[in-house]
Amino acid sequence: MFANTNPGTAPVRNDWTRDEIAALFNLPFTELVFRAAEVHRTHHRAGEVQLCTLLSIKTGGCPEDCGYCSQSVKADSGVEATKLMEVQSVLQSAAQARDAGSKRFCMGAAWRNPKDRDMPAIIAMVQGVRAMGMETCMTLGMLTDTQAAQLAEAGLDYYNHNIDTSPERYAQVITTRSFEDRIDTLDRVRAAGINVCSGGIVGMGETRADRVGFVHALATLDHHPESVPVNALVPIKGTVLGDMLADTPLAKIDDIEFVRTVAVARITMPLSMVRLSAGRESMSEATQALCFMAGANSIFTGDKLLTAANAGDDADAAMFERLGLKPMEGEEPLRAVKAGTCAA
Ligand code: SAM
Ligand code: DTB
Ligand code: SF4
């Protein structure tokens, strides 16, 4: 499988086997990061990282039981449930994000699925944020075909819907929906012509084989997600997984294994944006630097994610300065084609 040593002419593959992905994970660390960096440089401007901002437009009270999430009604996390924000307040936050240098605005709602009565406000948010010149992303739970079409019509750039972990482990993390439900929504989003954003969480006490299965599930989709967030679990007190990690600290994933996951995502999905998402607040700059070397090219800025703390703009500006990184102006600049052979 490694016969083609020129990543510039390597085809974008959707036929990865689990053995091949496991072999990537098993490479000596520096070799793995080197290969990922080669792929990264071939398809992206490696010194640039996209700045994105997250906003929770509807927080808490979610009927789903995702074991990592502070917003589930099953979690005793102290997060209070709110109503859907007013469109104007969302647009105000978006304008602040744009003024702070963000190029992408991601809006998240703690829903199993949006209700049809919510759609006019959601559509107005997408249109308003787009009109500010930022890329838009929404994550609202499961969608019907009609809702996906409405979001496409509104001009939504990306829909985020994570597979979160391997198909085998899914039911241990979430019981109120299935892995297949997740794939069905991704198919609807794709069919509606919206870019797909799908990734997951590393560090939930899963095995290496689960991380292989997680990347495999994404890298064997007919079209790779254009955007792949890799979150490090933020252990939140009162959630099943947050409490489990507090009791068994040895289950915490080590930084090198996290970087390996980023690198394998980069190699197997060469054209995708790989987003270093949640968990940076407790990550050293050295680990983040390794993630950027291994192909991550997006971060969430600001001091809050949806409910959890984030690194903060000052810390990020200082890190960019120290590492010589530049904020990305336009997205995916070297991406020539979306599928098929990519001779960059
Ligand atoms: N309700 C929608 C859904 O589940 O698709 C959207 C919001 S949900 C909070 C978006 C994603 O955030 C989840 O799929 C998960 O990957 C990530 N996430 C949530 N809580 C997290 C945590 N404590 N640590 C890391 N990632 C987390
Ligand atoms: C994603 O994969 N990570 C973001 C975004 N998509 C919506 C969310 C991270 C949430 C972290 C936990 C919290 O803030 O509650
Ligand atoms: Fe609800 Fe999304 Fe949190 Fe799951 S991850 S509990 S669906 S908000």
Side-chain angles (χ1 to χ4, degrees):
M1 71 170 285
F2 298 125
N4 187 343
T5 54
N6 179 357
T9 57
V12 172
R13 291 182 48 197
N14 305 78
D15 62 350
W16 292 95
T17 66
R18 284 197 183 213
D19 283 349
E20 286 173 325
I21 293 175
L24 288 172
F25 266 100
N26 279 333
L27 282 170
F29 181 73
T30 49
E31 177 66 22
L32 173 61
V33 173
F34 176 74
R35 292 192 191 188
E38 269 190 317
V39 172
H40 189 42
R41 270 154 186 72
T42 303
H43 300 292
H44 306 264
R45 291 193 220 283
E48 296 183 8
V49 173
Q50 190 185 35
L51 304 182
C52 314
T53 299
L54 258 180
L55 178 68
S56 181
I57 58 171
K58 193 273 166 219
T59 307
C62 182
E64 304 270 32
D65 69 351
C66 312
Y68 46 78
C69 186
S70 63
Q71 305 195 70
S72 165
V73 283
K74 302 278 163 51
D76 187 13
S77 62
V79 167
E80 280 188 28
T82 66
K83 288 204 208 132
L84 179 63
M85 283 174 73
E86 297 292 334
V87 175
Q88 275 319 312
S89 313
V90 172
L91 298 186
Q92 241 169 23
S93 295
Q96 277 167 13
R98 178 202 54 199
D99 294 346
S102 248
K103 298 293 176 210
R104 173 183 176 90
F105 197 65
C106 306
M107 294 159 269
W111 284 328
R112 176 173 164 83
N113 51 264
K115 299 205 170 53
D116 287 341
R117 66 162 187 263
D118 300 317
M119 292 310 286
I122 295 291
I123 287 165
M125 291 171 195
V126 172
Q127 291 171 335
V129 174
R130 277 203 108 214
M132 291 177 198
M134 273 186 293
E135 214 175 86
T136 51
C137 183
M138 282 268 175
T139 178
L140 313 169
M142 299 184 212
L143 296 179
T144 62
D145 287 333
T146 309
Q147 290 169 336
Q150 287 173 319
L151 291 172
E153 169 77 21
L156 181 69
D157 297 294
Y158 286 81
Y159 194 77
N160 167 251
H161 201 68
N162 289 344
I163 62 162
D164 278 328
T165 189
S166 65
E168 307 78 67
R169 191 171 157 80
Y170 200 79
Q172 283 167 258
V173 178
I174 301 149
T175 69
T176 49
R177 58 169 187 257
S178 66
F179 190 85
E180 288 67 37
D181 289 332
R182 242 21 204 179
I183 299 292
D184 287 349
T185 294
L186 291 177
D187 287 345
R188 293 197 175 99
V189 169
R190 175 68 71 205
I194 303 169
N195 289 310
V196 167
C197 174
S198 189
I201 308 180
V202 177
M204 297 194 289
E206 76 282 348
T207 60
R208 163 74 72 83
D210 287 316
R211 289 186 282 279
V212 170
F214 157 63
V215 174
H216 178 260
L218 294 172
T220 54
L221 291 172
D222 288 345
H223 296 271
H224 294 164
E226 283 78 8
S227 165
V228 179
V230 183
N231 297 276
L233 177 73
V234 180
I236 297 172
K237 204 164 170 286
T239 62
V240 174
L241 288 164
D243 291 347
M244 185 271 289
L245 275 186
D247 292 343
T248 50
L250 281 180
K252 192 178 179 310
I253 192 172
D254 76 63
D255 291 344
I256 296 296
E257 185 69 10
F258 184 82
V259 178
R260 280 185 188 274
T261 311
V262 169
V264 175
R266 167 51 66 223
I267 292 170
T268 53
M269 294 173 277
L271 303 183
S272 306
M273 295 291 287
V274 174
R275 303 186 188 277
L276 174 54
S277 299
R280 289 194 309 115
E281 206 232 356
S282 58
M283 215 176 262
S284 70
E285 274 189 15
T287 299
Q288 294 182 62
L290 283 171
C291 290
F292 299 132
M293 274 189 74
N297 54 355
S298 156
I299 59 167
F300 286 119
T301 57
D303 48 21
K304 201 170 169 199
L305 294 165
L306 292 172
T307 69
N310 193 26
D313 289 346
D314 291 348
D316 286 338
M319 175 174 73
F320 272 47
E321 177 72 26
R322 225 180 331 269
L323 299 180
L325 289 172
K326 288 204 184 74
M328 189 181 284
E329 283 305 321
E331 200 212 69
E332 319 137 78
L334 304 182
R335 198 191 269 181
V337 286
K338 286 212 162 190
T341 303
C342 183

